[in-house]
Amino acid sequence: MSSNHLALIAKTQSLIAAGDIVGAESALVELADTEGDGALMVVLDQLPPKDILAVIREYDNSKESIINLMVTPAQFARAVVIEKRYKDLTRTHLRGMVNSIIFREDANPVEFLTAVGDLEGGSEALADYFADKWSRVETFARTGNFDALEDDGQMLSETALYASAYAKPTVDQDEVADQDWMELAWILRYQCPDLFIEMLLVLRAKSRAFDAGEEEADEAEEGDGKVDLADTDRGKITPANLESEEESAI
């Protein structure tokens, strides 16, 4: 690796630590413009997951980010499983980041989802993605469609979930191709069925914990290293300062 690349890595990490996410992304984009995508890939491969996460979670729908376009399934997965350390209770950044990368033009969504599912915490990260769509996802698991009229609170047993894991689709992917939660749920159920069931079981557990008031207590206990996202404008978020042992666990 060249001294220029090492200097850029140090600069990028310094900017991220200072909360200048836009500046960090600009430095990486400039590298790609001057030395090519290959040089950018080399640098991205040397950045720790928390720094890649700090950049890719700050997606902007108004323009494409070359970082989001270049990140690999492995890099993406390592970033996604630590996203929960930000106190973004709306999951807006998580959903935006996942959608912008998994549904990018050249991506194979199954490769990205498999990489996430292979990591500890992967199914939990996916459950967080679907957190506010839980009942609709349960309806989809039970009926094979997303009809809100079918959303009556009924759930398949775990045994029934596994028994129906390889059922044929009731609706085609084209019918739910929203590049959002419906399409992602469809891909999970029919192309990664085991991961879909694992995610749904985690989602059920999270829902029960929330109803019992346990989730808030858990979040309070895990407060160290999280970030208050009171200011969520692009580039103004202070990144999570993860401890080294948290990174090494990925």
Side-chain angles (χ1 to χ4, degrees):
M1 183 180 298
S2 70
S3 58
N4 180 46
H5 291 169
L6 291 173
L8 179 63
I9 290 170
K11 176 183 178 181
T12 300
Q13 291 189 273
S14 177
L15 288 169
I16 291 171
D20 186 1
I21 310 302
V22 170
E25 183 177 15
S26 295
L28 294 170
V29 170
E30 183 178 352
L31 172 67
D33 288 343
T34 56
E35 298 189 32
D37 293 347
L40 175 60
M41 291 298 292
V42 170
V43 169
L44 288 179
D45 204 42
Q46 296 302 312
L47 286 174
K50 69 181 181 65
D51 290 337
I52 289 181
L53 171 63
V55 175
I56 65 176
R57 75 189 301 273
E58 291 302 294
Y59 72 101
D60 182 349
N61 285 330
S62 67
K63 66 181 183 67
E64 286 189 328
S65 165
I66 191 171
I67 314 305
N68 289 40
L69 290 172
M70 296 295 294
V71 69
T72 66
Q75 293 165 345
F76 171 74
R78 289 192 293 267
V80 165
V81 297
I82 59 174
E83 208 279 341
K84 65 182 180 180
R85 300 194 181 280
Y86 286 80
K87 291 192 295 186
D88 182 7
L89 301 183
T90 67
R91 274 82 179 194
T92 301
H93 289 263
L94 174 63
R95 285 195 298 270
M97 172 179 69
V98 170
N99 290 348
S100 68
I101 292 174
I102 282 185
F103 294 116
R104 73 191 191 194
E105 187 173 344
D106 70 328
N108 179 343
V110 173
E111 289 184 4
F112 284 87
L113 291 171
T114 300
V116 172
D118 285 345
L119 291 183
E120 181 179 354
S123 56
E124 181 183 357
L126 291 172
D128 284 339
Y129 173 96
F130 289 108
D132 67 345
K133 303 295 183 183
W134 169 56
S135 63
R136 298 289 299 281
V137 174
E138 288 283 4
T139 298
F140 174 58
R142 181 170 54 84
T143 69
N145 63 62
F146 295 96
D147 189 347
L149 296 177
E150 298 276 2
D151 185 2
D152 54 10
Q154 295 185 49
M155 296 186 298
L156 290 178
S157 67
E158 185 172 340
T159 301
L161 277 176
Y162 281 105
S164 64
Y166 293 94
K168 292 183 179 180
T170 302
V171 297
D172 293 334
Q173 184 176 355
D174 289 346
E175 297 179 58
V176 294
D178 59 354
Q179 296 195 341
D180 199 358
W181 70 273
M182 284 189 186
E183 187 170 7
L184 190 62
W186 192 99
I187 293 170
L188 271 174
R189 179 176 181 185
Y190 296 117
Q191 298 183 20
C192 309
D194 291 336
L195 180 55
F196 174 75
I197 293 172
E198 184 178 346
M199 177 281 296
L200 186 55
L201 294 176
V202 172
L203 189 53
R204 288 178 178 180
K206 283 178 169 288
S207 179
R208 289 193 297 268
F210 181 82
D211 290 342
E214 297 171 6
E215 188 172 89
E216 292 88 342
D218 289 343
E219 286 172 353
E221 291 175 4
E222 295 176 3
D224 290 345
K226 287 190 175 182
V227 180
D228 182 0
L229 300 189
D231 187 353
T232 57
D233 288 341
R234 178 173 171 79
K236 296 182 180 178
I237 291 175
T238 302
N241 295 316
L242 302 182
E243 299 297 334
S244 58
E245 62 267 26
E246 291 169 344
E247 287 182 38
S248 64
I250 303 302

